[in-house]
Amino acid sequence: MPTLALAILLARVVGDPVGDLKKAEEVRDQGDLASAERLMRQAASEAPEWPLPMIDLAELLVREGSAAEARSLAETAVRLDPDAPRAWHVASLAEELTGALSAAEASDRRALELRPGYAEAGDHLAQLLWNEGKRQPAIELYLKLVGERPGDLPLLATLASAEEEAGATEQAEQALRTLARIEPQSPVWHRRLARLLEGEGKNREAAQELAAADRIAGTRRQERHLRPLLPSKR
């Protein structure tokens, strides 16, 4: 929403919705969700044409499992500002909870149209597709997301798992080898790769990966053992 329009809108409200919302976000981040919800509701009541308090409140309600109210709030926010990608994404989260999976897909796709590279919407859409059994579209989206965020190790690990489960073992092997290159001091990827290779009957290569994992783990144990102790404060 344009700043001038927001200023005009807030000039007509009673109370301090901006201050209430800021305080709500602060206490939410501190873990006080009850106070955050109360302040968000207050801000939304004070500025009923301002979508941001509704989006924040809807997102909080999704976390609490209040899907129907969250969906209603997100849909209202979308009507007030149809170009707000976060409103569409929060709507998708709520729609998934209510079982409206096609609507959830459509909402996240709209969020991505409005904000290309929107990580939360992309990850959620890929998960939605996977959970619905749309494995190839999900993998294609994961590949796109990895291309956008090549340093995101959890995302790359998710892609490897999806490819392995879908039977695309060569692609999963490539993803795991990439993870091992990016994080060479972690034995985890070598062990996962060894299990994959063993399942493919590539026992020699699997043994090499297990040996690499054991070597890395042994080096890390030795480094911890040789690390000098800090002087006593006594």
Side-chain angles (χ1 to χ4, degrees), residues 14-130:
V14 177
D16 181 17
V18 174
D20 289 337
L21 186 60
K22 182 178 180 181
K23 181 62 177 176
E25 292 169 347
E26 288 174 0
V27 297
R28 177 200 60 198
D29 294 343
Q30 294 166 3
D32 187 354
L33 301 186
S35 295
E37 181 179 337
R38 176 180 57 78
L39 286 163
M40 288 173 186
R41 289 187 185 280
Q42 185 169 311
S45 175
E46 291 167 341
E49 296 178 26
W50 187 27
L52 187 54
M54 299 178 192
I55 297 170
D56 278 356
L57 178 56
E59 188 173 53
L60 182 61
L61 291 173
V62 165
R63 290 169 60 180
E64 295 177 346
S66 300
E69 185 182 4
R71 183 176 181 180
S72 176
L73 285 164
E75 289 174 348
T76 300
V78 164
R79 286 197 298 272
L80 290 170
D81 187 2
D83 294 328
R86 185 164 162 250
W88 285 102
H89 172 54
V90 173
S92 176
L93 297 174
E95 286 158 351
E96 181 190 19
L97 284 180
T98 60
L101 300 183
S102 295
E105 278 188 44
S107 293
D108 262 340
R109 290 189 191 280
R110 181 57 181 154
L112 288 166
E113 288 174 1
L114 292 166
R115 187 193 299 171
Y118 187 176
E120 290 83 357
D123 291 352
H124 184 241
L125 177 57
Q127 183 184 39
L128 276 172
L129 293 170
W130 183 264

Side-chain angles (χ1 to χ4, degrees), residues 99-228:
L101 300 183
S102 295
E105 278 188 44
S107 293
D108 262 340
R109 290 189 191 280
R110 181 57 181 154
L112 288 166
E113 288 174 1
L114 292 166
R115 187 193 299 171
Y118 187 176
E120 290 83 357
D123 291 352
H124 184 241
L125 177 57
Q127 183 184 39
L128 276 172
L129 293 170
W130 183 264
N131 290 344
E132 290 182 73
K134 301 175 182 178
R135 293 189 166 190
Q136 191 54 40
I139 288 174
E140 289 172 1
L141 180 53
Y142 277 128
L143 285 167
K144 181 176 183 293
L145 296 173
V146 166
E148 293 171 350
R149 291 142 53 198
D152 190 329
L153 297 186
L155 178 60
L156 186 54
T158 299
L159 170 63
S161 297
E163 289 173 330
E164 182 178 3
E165 191 170 339
T169 52
E170 290 185 6
Q171 291 86 341
E173 180 182 335
Q174 181 180 353
L176 289 170
R177 290 191 186 282
T178 300
L179 283 162
R181 284 197 303 273
I182 294 174
E183 201 172 24
Q185 299 307 313
S186 174
V188 172
W189 312 123
H190 291 283
R191 291 200 177 103
R192 279 191 56 180
L193 182 55
R195 287 196 296 270
L196 175 66
L197 292 167
E198 189 175 15
E200 293 183 273
K202 300 177 181 179
N203 295 327
R204 181 179 175 183
E205 292 181 52
Q208 291 173 343
E209 293 301 326
L210 281 175
D214 290 342
R215 184 170 59 254
I216 293 167
T219 300
R220 292 175 66 176
R221 283 195 298 270
Q222 185 178 21
E223 287 174 349
R224 286 196 296 270
H225 179 71
L226 295 176
R227 189 175 299 153

